[in-house]
Amino acid sequence: MDIQMFNWHAKSLIREILTKKLELCAKLNHKVFSCKVLNGTSEYDLSVNSDMTISCNCQDFDGAGKIGDFSLNSLEEIISSQKAEKFRKILSDGKLPIPNCSRCSELEIVPPYKYQSEEKRIVPTKNLMVENTICCACSCLACARPLVMKQRKKLALTLEDIEKIAIEIKKHNIQSISYFNLGDPFISKNILEELKIIRKYNPDINIGSSTNGLLLDSEEKFEAACLMNSLVVSIDGINTKMVRKYQRNQNFETSFGHMCELIKYRDKQNKMNTNHLSKLKVGWNYILFSWNDKPEYIKKAMSLCKANNIDSLNLWHTKSPFWATSWRWYVDPFYKGIRKGNNSQYLPIYFTK
C-alpha cells in the first residue's frame, strides 16, 4: 500500500474513534452539534473545488463533504441543499454526519435545539476557499492524492468558472478568499488572468494563498502573487534532503530561490510604482516534524528570513503523519521560549512590519 493511503487509512481510524468519543460526550452532557459552515459563521472552510463542486470542509479527500455543485446552483441554493439539510438534521440529533467533522475547527458543541428545515440559510461571508487546480507536484506524505484525484471530475477551474465565482463573491460581499486547497495554485498557467478577474469584480477583497514554490517561477506568476495580500511558501526544512522526508518531490534550493526572487520583484515594483503598492506579505510555512525541529534548524530558518526580507516564518505543529509528530514542540526550552504561553499549533514569527 502506498504510504499516502496508509496514512489516510490510519487517520480514518482515528477519526472514527474521535467521532464515537464526541458523540458519547455530547450525549452524556445533554449537548448536540452545530457547524459554522452550515450556520453561516465560518471563517475558513467552505470550499469551491476544481470541478466546481462545493465541500463543507477543506480536507474533503474522499468527497464525503460535498454539499452541492456550483456549476448547477448558486451558493444560496447549495447552502440550503438537500445534502446540507441532511447534515444539519444529523448534527441536531447529536451525531456527526461525516468523519471529518471530528477534527474540524468548524464543529461546535451546543445546547439542544429544534431542527427547523424551513429556516432561511445564510451563506458564510467571511471567507471562501477557491481551489483553482487539484494538481500538485510535491506528493506529501499526509496527502491522500490518489484518493482525491479520483474524486475530481475536472483538474482545474476555467476562466469562465473563475468569473462565475467572482460574481457570486461580489453578490454576497465575501470578505476574503483563500486561493488554494488541495492543489498548488501556481501550477495554473492562467493564474494571473484568474486573479485579475477576481480583482475586477472584488477590488478590495483580501486574497491569501499557499504554494510549495516549485512553479512560482516566472515574472507573470510574480505579478499574479502581487495581486494577493498574503502568500505562504511551504518548505518543511532547511535543505533538500530534509524537506523530501515529507514533501517527497520538493527541492529546497528551487522553492526557496523562487520565494526570494518574488520578494525582490515585489520590492522593485513597489519602488517603481509608489502610487500602486502591492500589499503582498510573503511567509515561509514550516511544518514541524521529528526530523526537522531541532532548535538549530529553526534558528537557521530565522536567519534566512532576516537575510532575505521574508516577512514571517510560520511554524506549524502537526500530528499527521502520526509517527512523525514533533515532541520538542512540547518539551524543548527553545520552543517554550518562543511560544511564550501560546498553546496554538500555529506560531508565526514576524520579521517585517
Side-chain angles (χ1 to χ4, degrees):
M1 182 188 295
D2 180 86
I3 189 68
Q4 290 174 312
M5 293 311 299
F6 172 78
N7 187 64
W8 167 260
H9 289 302
K11 289 197 297 184
S12 295
L13 178 60
I14 292 170
R15 283 190 290 266
E16 288 179 16
I17 294 170
L18 285 174
T19 295
K20 298 298 183 184
K21 177 184 176 182
L22 285 168
E23 290 177 348
L24 179 60
C25 288
K27 183 177 181 180
L28 292 175
N29 290 284
H30 306 288
K31 302 285 187 180
V32 295
F33 300 105
S34 179
C35 170
K36 292 180 183 178
V37 170
L38 299 179
N39 68 25
T41 61
S42 169
E43 297 185 6
Y44 189 68
D45 276 279
L46 187 65
S47 305
V48 183
N49 300 320
S50 64
D51 57 0
M52 290 290 275
T53 55
I54 301 283
S55 290
C56 62
N57 70 90
C58 64
Q59 295 287 304
D60 196 22
F61 286 97
D62 60 357
K66 290 180 183 177
I67 58 173
D69 190 326
F70 205 1
S71 62
L72 302 175
N73 301 104
S74 67
L75 278 180
E76 297 107 313
E77 291 168 332
I78 291 168
I79 213 71
S80 302
S81 68
Q82 185 177 357
K83 184 74 169 289
E85 292 300 330
K86 178 182 177 181
F87 282 8
R88 288 188 182 95
K89 179 66 170 63
I90 294 171
L91 289 164
S92 72
D93 289 336
K95 301 291 183 181
L96 300 184
I98 59 174
N100 270 356
C101 293
S102 65
R103 300 187 68 181
C104 184
S105 61
E106 308 286 8
L107 182 70
E108 295 181 303
I109 300 177
V110 298
Y113 59 92
K114 186 177 180 181
Y115 168 73
Q116 301 285 345
S117 61
E118 68 274 11
E119 282 185 1
K120 183 179 180 181
R121 303 308 181 189
I122 301 171
V123 174
T125 59
K126 293 184 179 180
N127 186 73
L128 182 68
M129 299 194 80
V130 178
E131 179 187 82
N132 66 329
T133 178
I134 189 56
C135 298
C136 182
C138 257
S139 191
C140 298
L141 289 183
C143 177
R145 187 141 301 276
L147 184 62
V148 74
M149 293 297 282
K150 293 179 181 178
Q151 293 294 325
R152 298 291 191 266
K153 293 174 289 185
K154 280 196 321 183
L155 297 180
L157 297 172
T158 66
L159 293 179
E160 290 75 20
D161 293 335
I162 296 291
E163 185 165 33
K164 180 174 182 179
I165 294 166
I167 292 170
E168 194 81 353
I169 287 169
K170 180 180 180 180
K171 175 183 176 183
H172 294 285
N173 195 28
I174 292 172
Q175 299 169 22
S176 65
I177 300 172
S178 297
Y179 203 71
F180 67 98
N181 190 10
L182 300 180
D184 186 341
F186 285 89
I187 280 184
S188 172
K189 296 179 179 179
N190 297 320
I191 189 167
L192 178 58
E193 289 305 311
E194 294 166 11
L195 290 167
K196 283 183 175 178
I197 290 170
I198 291 172
R199 284 289 182 206
K200 174 185 173 183
Y201 291 97
N202 305 275
D204 299 319
I205 197 167
N206 186 295
I207 302 176
S209 190
S210 176
T211 176
N212 56 49
L214 287 171
L215 291 171
L216 184 63
D217 57 359
S218 67
E219 284 204 358
E220 184 174 306
K221 291 183 178 179
F222 293 164
E223 184 181 348
C226 286
L227 292 174
M228 299 175 177
N229 298 81
S230 62
L231 176 67
V232 293
V233 183
S234 296
I235 309 173
D236 303 325
I238 57 172
N239 58 54
T240 296
K241 182 179 179 181
M242 191 181 294
V243 299
R244 283 188 175 174
K245 289 188 176 182
Y246 179 74
Q247 296 171 296
R248 293 188 291 182
N249 297 327
Q250 179 63 290
N251 184 292
F252 178 85
E253 288 75 18
T254 298
S255 291
F256 189 81
H258 288 162
M259 177 166 54
C260 294
E261 288 300 313
L262 168 61
I263 290 169
K264 291 176 183 177
Y265 177 89
R266 176 199 65 186
D267 294 346
K268 180 181 178 181
Q269 294 300 311
N270 281 347
K271 287 181 180 178
M272 294 171 57
N273 303 293
T274 55
N275 293 326
H276 300 282
L277 296 177
S278 171
K279 298 178 181 178
L280 176 67
K281 294 290 186 180
V282 179
W284 177 357
N285 256 18
Y286 191 118
I287 301 178
L288 296 166
F289 300 104
S290 56
W291 56 77
N292 70 356
D293 63 345
K294 290 183 179 180
E296 56 263 37
Y297 299 158
I298 306 305
K299 290 175 183 178
K300 175 65 174 178
M302 292 168 70
S303 68
L304 286 170
C305 288
K306 293 175 183 177
N308 292 281
N309 204 27
I310 298 169
D311 296 298
S312 66
L313 176 67
N314 308 317
L315 302 179
W316 288 89
H317 182 263
T318 182
K319 296 182 177 68
S320 182
F322 63 89
W323 64 84
T325 294
S326 166
W327 295 106
R328 289 186 179 92
W329 174 261
Y330 297 109
V331 301
D332 194 288
F334 170 76
Y335 287 104
K336 290 182 179 180
I338 62 173
R339 289 170 68 185
K340 298 176 182 177
N342 180 359
N343 293 320
S344 170
Q345 302 302 297
Y346 167 63
L347 179 66
I349 304 170
Y350 297 104
F351 301 101
T352 64
K353 295 182 179 180

